[in-house]
Amino acid sequence: MTRPASTKSPSSPRETPAEGAWAAKMARLRQRPRPQNRLRICDDDQLRQQAEAAEQAAHRARLLSEAAPDDPASAQRAADTEAAAEAARTALDDASEFLTFRALAREVLEDLIAGHPPTEAQAAEGAVFNPDTFPAALVAAASFDGMSEEEAAELLTTWSAPDANMLWEAAWQVQQKSRVELGKD
């Protein structure tokens, strides 16, 4: 009996530099976090107004300081107003609740829309989803905080119209947010 000829184990194909660069790029693309929106909820109008006024004052002081780079008093006013604006932002943040919404994967969003088809009357008016059921489903699905569909429906029906619209828009707009652009040659 003869022995079978020894076989060489097939050598693994070598990756070209271009393939390696593409693999690294694709890995980075897969790791991109999805866009998020934060909705601030604060019932203290005075704090919101104070924070806005402090931001505007800091912006004006910064512009004046940049226009007079050799004026130490201007630079000090800019620093003081920025510190006041930061304190106002912190006070506003402390008095606020935040809801965070994350963009859904395309397939998940399309399935969610398909799960809430418009009625015949709504479709005749051009609706692509049922506006009576889809908003709560989207708010819940996009909620980073774990809001349930029932809780979303409760807020959408019990809040004032402007507040409920902002809740819906925070969840819907993040689904439309693009972070890519065509390059110019």
Side-chain angles (χ1 to χ4, degrees), residues 124-143:
E125 293 177 0
V128 294
F129 54 76
N130 186 322
D132 297 326
T133 62
F134 178 69
L138 177 66
V139 167
S143 173

Side-chain angles (χ1 to χ4, degrees), residues 90-111:
T90 299
L92 181 60
D93 287 351
D94 290 346
S96 299
E97 293 292 332
F98 294 92
L99 297 176
T100 304
F101 299 96
R102 181 181 292 169
L104 302 172
R106 180 179 173 183
E107 183 178 341
V108 172
L109 180 60
E110 289 172 353
D111 288 348

Side-chain angles (χ1 to χ4, degrees), residues 3 10 20 30 41 43 49 52 58 60 70 73 83 98 126-128 130 132 135 138-139 143-144 149 157 164 172 177:
R3 235 178 175 178
R30 286 184 178 117
I41 301 155
D43 294 324
Q49 291 168 358
E52 186 176 321
R60 282 191 303 274
D70 297 329
F98 294 92
V128 294
N130 186 322
D132 297 326
L138 177 66
V139 167
S143 173
F144 187 72
E149 192 169 335
T157 57
W172 179 248
K177 191 178 282 186

